[in-house]
Amino acid sequence: MPSIVGQGFLNLPLDAREGFLLSRIDGSLTEAALTELTGLDHAFVVASLDKLWSLGLIDFASEDDAPKKAAPVLTTRAAEKAVTSFSDAGGDLTPEQRIWVEATSIELTTCTHYELLRVPHDADKKAVKRAYYELASRCHPDRFFRKDLGDYKLRLEIIFGRITLAHDTLTNRTQREDYDRYLADRETARSLEHALDASLIEDEIALAEATVVESSRDPGAPAPTSIKPNAFDSREAPTEPRFVPAAASSQTLLARRLLGKRPGSIPPPAPVEPSAGGTEQAMDSLKRRYHQRTESARRAQAAKYERQGEEATGRGDLVAAANAFRIAISLLPDDEELLAKQGAAQKAADAILCETYERQANYEEKAANFREAARNWCRVARIKTADAHAHERAANALVRSDGDLHQAKELGMRAVELEPQHVAHRVTLANVYLAAGLPLNAKRELLTAKQFAPQDATVSAMLRRIAEST
Amino acid sequence: MATDKVIGIDLGTTNSCVAIVENGVPTVIPNRGGYKTTPSMVAVTEAGKRLVGHIAKRQAITNAENTVYAAKRLIGRKWHSPQVRNAIATSSYRTVEGPHNDVRIVLRDKEYSVPEISAMVLQEMRVIAEDYLGAPVGKAVITVPAYFNDNQRQATRDAGEIAGLDIIRIINEPTAAALSYGFGRNLEKTVAVYDFGGGTFDISILEIGQNGVFRVIATAGDTFLGGEDVDARLIDWLVQEFKREHDIDLRQDRMALQRLKDAAEKAKCELSSVRETEVNLPFIISSERNEALHLQKPISRALLEQLSLDLIERTIDICRQTLEDAELEKRDVEEVLLVGGMTRMPRIQQAVGEFFEREPSKGVHPDESVALGAAIQGYALVGEEHEMVLLDVTPHALGIVTQGGYFEELIPQNTTVPTHRQKIFTTSRENQTAVKILVMQGEHERADQNELLGEFILTGLRRAPKGEVEIEVTFEINADGIVSVRAKDLDTGLEQSIQVTASSGLTRDEISSMMHEAKDQLVDRRSSEELEAAKQEAERLVGEIERLFPQVEQIVAQSDFGREAIDKARVIVDRAKNAVTRKDVAMIKEQIEGLARTQRMFKGVVAKTI
Ligand SMILES: Nc1ncnc2c1ncn2[C@@H]1O[C@H](COP(=O)(O)OP(=O)(O)OP(=O)(O)O)[C@@H](O)[C@H]1O
Ligand SMILES: [Mg+2]
């Protein structure tokens, strides 16, 4: 999908969700209706509407004292205000049409086919078609027959092409299945990332700790049973992350987790100091008893979580398992066996996560969406640190999507390091260097590759090309 | 004042039809004879006069060699193509190869391109509309068979241009029929349009949705399968029978062949309503002993059906394939529309009904719905209230030729337009510095089986081993169906592109000179009507004046004044006669006034004295 570059409107400080919201405003939907329609958080809708209003993009229909309760509209005045900020020539389009085109253009880059057509995931063919027809009747180029559309012509065509792709994909059974699998992978990955988010179990750890303290004080008291299962049950994990800035934060959290730092673990208990004297002895034994009680309570708690972890493993809920083990470990940080179990569960969860990333990346590569493909290959590479292929694909996708070349270089180098004799890795790395304007490095890489494969046509051709250009 | 209204023209193989939307109502415009369709026939008389329509059809037998019918079968085709070879083998008019491998038709020693012939028909349709509207018409939507390729479409566009029309859109015939069916009815339905006309067969499956959206799902057809082919079967049979009886090949005689053609078609049409008819052609030919032979044969409906069974079967096979392409089941099709004169044949109605497992609809007029749909599309495009949008598809795949003569598809068949697709290709030879991009259209894996639409060369490629230079090729089809192709050297960023103006067989210059000629022709024709009227009026007046001359001379000869008046009158009469021989309308009209005055004066003189 070609991305849209434009000035004016496209330079307004809006993000995709705000663009999405803007594109839904039709003058009749109220704030509440918009919230419901978009599935966005109500607070977010309110804040965004304020922002859109302050940018002069929208106005509110009614003039009573609670204007914000009224339906926001793209009033001509407000629309014109926005339009004057466009440097693009819009020809015969009305300001409302321009806004619609602009907002939809923003939306295109991120939204799913379902979001674009504004249909729910379980929409049947008929509903998809209706939605498509509704949009198509609005943006088919024939609607603007022999009109001067200026810069908007291309954008309208892109929008039409994209809604047609959405329609074609969602009305074809196999294509929709593929696409749904892709979305499911994306969703799974997001909720896994979310569920594995260490901060989520901090509360649970604190609770477990409190329970330990509690039961050591009063051995007769029953162990608290109020463990919120959904705090670490992936199936129940809130599906919120769709609209929280999930991508960035959970990514860093994931990275942090992969680096082995586990926030929220409590320091091991201080060693008990040896002491002398009667009272001291009494104190001592009291302390020891207290300590023993704590210890056994701690162990009991840990055992409980361990059991939960095992049960979760049994039913294949790897996230719940990993989280349960992590809580157990926070209670007994030195327990080798627990560590091993937690490691295994974590590894299994990572494997699933990794698979989804890989499938997404492959789908995106097929759809020539290299920007997204690069992101997912990078994630795979971060988990499978010894997977040369993933590193190479990531580097390749980054180059093809004009991504971060520094990162591409690191990935390419790692691929080469993992499989030094693999010519393709070196070629990719050489391409990274070339893209970064480092022909000498590229040359070095290719010369090495040539040693392994003296006959390789691509390698010699690239070498010749470098020789020619320098 | 030229009207902004857009006319819709169904330029058929055998019949053409013109329609317009008036006050939101699509209406077919009848010709001067009161007929709603006009034969797509063009003739040139011995006197060099051009005839179009019914009048051309009427003289077809006596002037077979100078009468063109079914020109649509030749439009946009190459001289050497099997279809052209086939078509001209049985045609009564003469054809020669044109300068661009195209077909030229020879009428009275003058060569005409096929678009020129079609332009004559279009011009006729335009005049029919102008007469009806009382204003010049500039814009038109023309229909073509859905399965026409871009060369044929372009040639049709050229014909429109030659006829002085701004062709704002070319749409597919079955689609047009669906538009006329669904327009303003607020339906939500999947329909199949089975269009079996004089020269072509088309099938389209469309979805009519709310918001006035008409989406074509799949379309296919055969541009060489029509009523003409059914007629040919009957002719073959009659020729064979005659040969068996008299050992004479009627095909050798052009006049006999033309009569046979007419009779066969007539019999075919009759058999749609009766079970038995007779072909009766007295004095069809003379025997070697110079005795007159007659052709007299009873023909039953069953015989006709047997002779055309495989043709009908072919249409059904195409329906099956199209349904498959549309990924639909028979039961998904909620309505079957029959379009084209051939669908009046009971056997065809039955076959279609059996295949789709539903009684075909009587909801559209088989002869008029296509023109109506074209008018509707024109109305929707230029009108302000957009009541409908047509989402059409490409009937043929588009792609380029790759190494080894293979066709590499970029845009598949039945892709919704407008659309654009990209693919990356590499060089196929060592140190290749240029690539030739051949833009093709068709479904065959072998490129040479497909239609060449255009070509261009991307040069300045880096010298490199084969397979190494990457070239990104982008195809784009816009809403007008115009194809553009762009090739970009990914190495250097060098780019080449063309807008594929499919070759209609005519150059720009040829089209514009033909256009001017056609305009001249129209002026000619128009003025000849005017001339006729003026001439008659002048001749009437001259006759009357001349009748009165002796009397008047007698009465006024004595006075100088009288003599002068008589001399003046003579001058006027001479001038008028002169103008009539020169066929100068303006001059005749000028003289008419003087003649009328003279006549009044003479009458007065005579009356006074009686
Ligand atoms: N009653 C009838 N029974 C059988 N055939 C008929 C009847 N009436 C007309 N036809 C045939 O239909 C054909 C003409 O149909 P139509 O006018 O729809 O074709 P067209 O639009 O000129 O051609 P095309 O659409 O293929 O370019 C002729 O072959 C004619 O003989
Ligand atoms: Mg027809």
Side-chain angles (χ1 to χ4, degrees):
Chain A
M1 209 68 222
S3 62
I4 300 129
V5 270
Q7 284 133 34
F9 193 96
L10 290 188
N11 286 345
L12 289 173
L14 298 181
D15 69 9
R17 283 175 300 147
E18 288 156 348
F20 180 57
L21 183 69
L22 182 59
S23 70
R24 300 298 103 141
I25 292 172
D26 64 356
S28 69
L29 295 167
T30 61
E31 199 177 275
L34 280 166
T35 307
E36 200 183 313
L37 182 85
T38 56
L40 293 168
D41 185 52
H42 182 250
F44 176 81
V45 170
V46 174
S48 299
L49 288 178
D50 276 345
K51 180 170 165 188
L52 295 174
W53 179 78
S54 70
L55 285 169
L57 292 173
I58 59 164
D59 217 333
F60 291 88
S62 115
E63 286 169 11
D64 60 33
D65 22 270
K68 294 299 167 64
K69 286 279 162 285
V73 287
L74 304 167
T75 61
T76 317
R77 200 172 47 79
E80 265 162 8
K81 207 159 115 200
V83 168
T84 53
S85 76
F86 302 163
S87 60
D88 308 304
D92 297 336
L93 288 186
T94 65
E96 284 81 0
Q97 284 170 325
R98 291 185 208 192
I99 297 243
W100 185 82
V101 173
E102 298 284 6
T104 313
S105 295
I106 296 178
E107 206 189 326
L108 286 188
T109 54
T110 48
C111 69
T112 69
H113 291 337
Y114 294 98
E115 285 161 354
L116 184 63
L117 296 182
R118 306 176 210 178
V119 293
H121 273 252
D122 58 356
D124 61 4
K125 249 188 183 180
K126 202 164 184 154
V128 171
K129 280 178 185 165
R130 281 198 181 173
Y132 172 60
Y133 291 159
E134 149 77 28
L135 285 170
S137 73
R138 212 190 291 190
C139 71
H140 189 280
D142 278 358
R143 289 299 305 268
F144 311 97
F145 185 71
R146 292 197 177 170
K147 292 248 163 69
D148 171 23
L149 296 183
D151 295 352
Y152 286 76
K153 189 170 159 54
L154 180 67
R155 273 184 232 166
L156 268 165
E157 274 167 18
I158 290 171
I159 293 173
F160 180 75
R162 177 66 202 281
I163 61 168
T164 302
L165 176 71
H167 163 271
D168 291 353
T169 307
L170 299 187
T171 52
N172 176 300
R173 199 149 54 95
T174 48
Q175 278 183 43
R176 183 165 175 174
E177 276 166 15
D178 283 350
Y179 184 70
D180 281 348
R181 202 168 311 125
Y182 166 69
L183 285 189
D185 278 335
R186 216 165 78 168
E187 216 34 58
T188 309
R190 282 179 184 175
S191 54
L192 275 178
E193 283 162 10
H194 185 76
L196 286 171
D197 183 344
S199 63
L200 272 183
I201 58 168
E202 267 166 24
D203 286 353
E204 198 58 38
I205 289 173
L207 185 70
E209 197 58 38
T211 313
V212 169
V213 174
E214 190 73 16
S215 49
S216 349
R217 238 183 243 131
D218 181 1
T225 51
S226 63
I227 295 158
K228 287 181 290 168
N230 57 352
F232 51 90
D233 186 341
S234 70
R235 285 164 311 165
E236 297 285 322
T239 46
E240 246 288 271
R242 267 175 74 177
F243 292 119
V244 295
S249 71
S250 60
Q251 206 175 319
T252 51
L253 282 166
L254 182 70
R256 208 162 5 125
R257 184 166 49 71
L258 291 167
L259 287 171
K261 279 185 207 147
R262 285 187 199 84
S265 56
I266 49 164
V272 184
E273 296 212 347
S275 55
T279 43
E280 282 197 354
Q281 263 196 349
M283 275 297 282
D284 222 32
S285 85
L286 205 67
K287 256 187 193 165
R288 212 170 30 244
R289 283 227 317 277
Y290 174 75
H291 195 75
Q292 270 165 5
R293 262 211 315 276
T294 317
E295 270 307 293
S296 68
R298 192 179 286 283
R299 246 190 287 278
Q301 275 292 309
K304 200 188 79 194
Y305 282 106
E306 190 179 354
R307 211 165 45 246
Q308 276 182 8
E310 270 154 9
E311 274 165 23
T313 311
R315 61 170 194 270
D317 188 344
L318 298 163
V319 175
N323 283 341
F325 288 134
R326 270 154 69 196
I327 299 167
I329 287 171
S330 74
L331 295 164
L332 297 173
D334 297 325
D335 190 320
E336 295 285 331
E337 201 182 320
L338 264 181
L339 276 172
K341 278 182 184 165
Q342 194 271 339
Q346 183 78 43
K347 222 164 143 183
D350 281 350
I352 291 177
L353 203 53
C354 201
E355 252 171 58
T356 66
Y357 291 147
E358 219 166 324
R359 275 201 303 267
Q360 286 176 67
N362 280 317
Y363 188 93
E364 286 151 354
E365 264 187 2
K366 247 196 339 220
N369 185 355
F370 288 105
R371 221 183 54 185
E372 291 297 316
R375 263 224 287 266
N376 278 312
W377 279 125
C378 285
R379 289 167 176 157
V380 175
R382 233 174 284 149
I383 296 174
K384 290 190 181 173
T385 47
D387 184 335
H389 174 71
H391 286 77
E392 187 265 330
R393 289 323 300 165
N396 179 61
L398 277 169
V399 174
R400 296 204 62 164
S401 62
D402 296 327
D404 181 349
L405 289 176
H406 180 73
Q407 198 186 358
K409 187 196 80 179
E410 301 286 318
L411 288 156
M413 282 172 73
R414 176 73 180 145
V416 167
E417 181 192 334
L418 287 164
E419 291 176 356
Q421 305 199 4
H422 211 292
V423 177
H425 299 342
R426 292 196 189 265
V427 169
T428 297
L429 181 55
N431 271 322
V432 176
Y433 285 134
L434 285 177
L438 300 168
L440 289 181
N441 296 32
K443 188 173 164 187
R444 197 188 56 221
E445 219 48 64
L446 291 164
L447 285 174
T448 321
K450 206 172 168 64
Q451 287 173 6
F452 297 115
Q455 306 298 328
D456 193 290
T458 317
V459 172
S460 13
M462 283 178 80
L463 278 169
R464 218 169 317 132
R465 183 164 137 211
I466 293 167
E468 270 168 31
S469 59
T470 49
Chain B
M1 249 282 288
T3 152
D4 280 343
K5 287 188 181 142
V6 186
I7 54 171
I9 303 177
D10 169 10
L11 179 62
T13 310
T14 37
N15 297 302
S16 295
C17 183
V18 59
I20 194 157
V21 177
E22 275 189 306
N23 309 321
V25 183
T27 324
V28 172
I29 304 175
N31 62 24
R32 265 160 291 175
Y35 296 102
K36 290 191 170 176
T37 62
T38 301
S40 309
M41 277 196 179
V42 172
V44 178
T45 64
E46 214 174 339
K49 211 171 161 201
R50 249 184 220 181
L51 306 175
V52 183
H54 289 283
I55 182 163
K57 190 171 182 177
R58 273 200 289 276
Q59 54 84 68
I61 290 183
T62 52
N63 185 25
E65 279 164 38
N66 297 295
T67 305
V68 190
Y69 55 86
K72 194 173 169 183
R73 292 201 141 184
L74 305 174
I75 204 164
R77 291 194 189 269
K78 303 271 185 298
W79 173 253
H80 293 288
S81 68
Q83 292 91 339
V84 168
R85 305 283 87 222
N86 221 351
I88 62 183
T90 57
S91 68
S92 55
Y93 47 88
R94 210 157 66 81
T95 43
V96 292
E97 181 172 1
H100 321 289
N101 302 323
D102 60 328
V103 181
R104 298 282 160 120
I105 295 166
V106 187
L107 299 174
R108 306 252 175 223
D109 298 328
K110 191 171 178 322
E111 285 182 19
Y112 296 89
S113 70
V114 184
E116 259 180 301
I117 300 287
S118 297
M120 296 177 199
V121 178
L122 290 174
Q123 209 165 47
E124 180 73 15
M125 304 319 285
R126 177 182 158 194
V127 169
I128 292 172
E130 288 178 347
D131 285 351
Y132 175 85
L133 292 169
V137 168
K139 297 193 184 89
V141 172
I142 303 184
T143 60
V144 295
Y147 220 49
F148 255 22
N149 64 37
D150 276 23
N151 289 337
Q152 293 168 301
R153 285 164 200 265
Q154 187 56 45
T156 307
R157 246 179 215 282
D158 292 349
E161 200 174 320
I162 294 169
L165 287 165
D166 172 11
I167 305 304
I168 66 167
R169 185 63 59 81
I170 296 269
I171 65 169
N172 298 325
E173 287 161 12
T175 310
L179 292 184
S180 84
Y181 168 76
F183 178 68
R185 287 177 59 183
N186 218 354
L187 301 172
E188 263 188 86
K189 230 177 200 183
T190 302
V191 301
V193 182
Y194 177 102
D195 179 357
F196 201 179
T200 50
F201 168 71
D202 273 336
I203 168 84
S204 287
I205 299 178
L206 294 99
E207 200 168 61
I208 306 174
Q210 89 290 26
N211 294 71
V213 176
F214 290 73
R215 184 174 74 93
V216 181
I217 306 175
T219 195
D222 188 332
T223 46
F224 248 84
L225 177 54
E228 293 259 327
D229 300 284
V230 177
D231 299 350
R233 293 292 168 85
L234 212 46
I235 295 168
D236 280 348
W237 184 81
L238 289 166
V239 166
Q240 263 174 35
E241 288 290 296
F242 197 81
K243 180 145 197 187
R244 206 165 46 81
E245 281 169 34
H246 304 284
D247 198 30
I248 289 180
D249 186 2
L250 286 176
R251 288 189 187 283
Q252 298 312 313
D253 185 310
R254 293 212 155 189
M255 192 109 90
L257 192 61
Q258 186 61 41
R259 284 181 73 189
L260 259 181
K261 256 197 165 103
D262 277 4
E265 192 195 346
K266 190 162 150 275
K268 176 190 72 176
C269 294
E270 279 168 7
L271 287 173
S272 291
S273 40
V274 298
R275 298 199 160 266
E276 176 100 25
T277 185
E278 193 183 53
V279 172
N280 197 347
L281 295 168
F283 308 104
I284 180 104
I285 206 158
S286 304
S287 74
E288 270 164 24
R289 274 170 283 132
N290 234 353
E291 56 185 345
L293 296 177
H294 317 301
L295 190 152
Q296 233 168 343
K297 272 274 158 215
I299 296 177
S300 68
R301 188 186 280 179
L303 173 69
L304 175 68
E305 289 178 353
Q306 186 203 321
L307 291 172
S308 47
L309 204 61
D310 64 308
L311 299 175
I312 300 174
E313 213 24 68
R314 243 163 79 196
T315 67
I316 298 298
D317 284 343
I318 298 173
C319 289
R320 189 172 296 121
Q321 184 57 47
T322 311
L323 209 54
E324 230 170 79
D325 291 346
E327 292 172 16
L328 290 177
E329 303 290 331
K330 284 177 189 176
R331 65 183 143 75
D332 297 327
V333 175
E334 294 159 285
E335 191 91 69
V336 181
L337 308 179
L338 295 182
V339 183
M342 279 306 297
T343 59
R344 291 203 176 87
M345 187 170 165
R347 184 60 217 235
I348 288 178
Q349 297 175 356
Q350 184 196 337
V352 176
E354 273 167 16
F355 174 73
F356 284 104
E357 294 165 14
R358 97 179 23 252
E359 192 71 13
S361 155
K362 301 263 181 286
V364 293
H365 193 291
D367 299 328
E368 298 167 10
S369 61
V370 173
L372 289 171
I376 291 168
Q377 172 72 89
Y379 171 75
L381 284 178
V382 301
E384 280 309 313
E385 64 272 45
H386 299 271
E387 286 161 69
M388 57 140 288
V389 175
L390 172 60
L391 309 180
D392 214 339
V393 299
T394 47
H396 295 281
L398 279 167
I400 65 171
V401 182
T402 59
Q403 162 105 69
Y406 287 99
F407 174 68
E408 178 76 25
E409 178 183 290
L410 269 109
I411 299 182
Q413 200 182 1
N414 292 326
T415 302
T416 303
V417 291
T419 185
H420 75 117
R421 301 283 165 98
Q422 270 174 0
K423 238 182 205 175
I424 292 175
F425 295 88
T426 58
T427 46
S428 62
R429 280 183 294 106
E430 303 285 327
N431 296 321
Q432 186 174 348
T433 55
V435 280
K436 191 171 190 174
I437 310 275
L438 292 161
V439 181
M440 308 285 287
Q441 183 169 49
E443 282 67 50
H444 282 278
E445 187 183 311
R446 299 287 321 171
D448 53 9
Q449 303 285 305
N450 295 324
E451 187 81 11
L452 177 69
L453 291 186
E455 52 187 275
F456 64 103
I457 293 173
L458 181 63
T459 54
L461 303 183
R462 164 171 69 81
R463 288 179 173 278
K466 66 178 178 189
E468 211 227 288
V469 176
E470 288 187 319
I471 295 142
E472 181 185 71
V473 178
T474 309
F475 269 56
E476 196 182 303
I477 309 179
N478 71 10
D480 288 314
I482 309 288
V483 178
S484 334
V485 181
R486 209 164 55 232
K488 184 177 173 189
D489 177 353
L490 287 181
D491 250 21
T492 59
L494 271 180
E495 209 174 288
Q496 273 296 326
S497 65
I498 51 161
Q499 205 179 64
V500 183
T501 35
S503 63
S504 65
L506 295 178
T507 65
R508 255 348 294 162
D509 285 351
E510 281 173 311
I511 292 170
S512 72
S513 84
M514 288 170 181
M515 199 171 126
H516 284 110
E517 227 171 275
K519 242 188 215 147
D520 291 347
Q521 275 285 338
L522 193 63
V523 170
D524 223 17
R525 223 194 78 149
R526 272 277 161 88
S527 62
S528 84
E529 278 167 23
E530 241 180 273
L531 176 76
E532 226 18 78
K535 204 172 107 189
Q536 275 178 22
E537 173 76 347
E539 276 169 354
R540 186 182 63 81
L541 290 168
V542 168
E544 225 161 292
I545 293 168
E546 280 182 336
R547 195 171 51 81
L548 293 170
F549 254 125
Q551 287 181 54
V552 173
E553 225 162 356
Q554 232 179 12
I555 297 164
V556 298
Q558 271 65 32
S559 72
D560 283 350
F561 171 78
R563 270 199 306 279
E564 210 184 306
I566 286 186
D567 286 344
K568 267 190 187 159
R570 276 194 206 288
V571 172
I572 290 172
V573 168
D574 283 346
R575 265 199 216 142
K577 282 183 171 171
N578 193 10
V580 169
T581 23
R582 277 168 55 187
K583 294 186 177 163
D584 187 339
V585 191
M587 202 170 143
I588 299 173
K589 280 185 170 170
E590 252 172 57
Q591 300 313 316
I592 284 179
E593 218 179 294
L595 287 173
R597 243 187 293 122
T598 309
Q599 185 236 21
R600 265 199 312 276
M601 181 189 71
F602 276 21
K603 266 190 172 166
V605 169
V606 174
K608 253 184 235 159
T609 49
I610 293 172

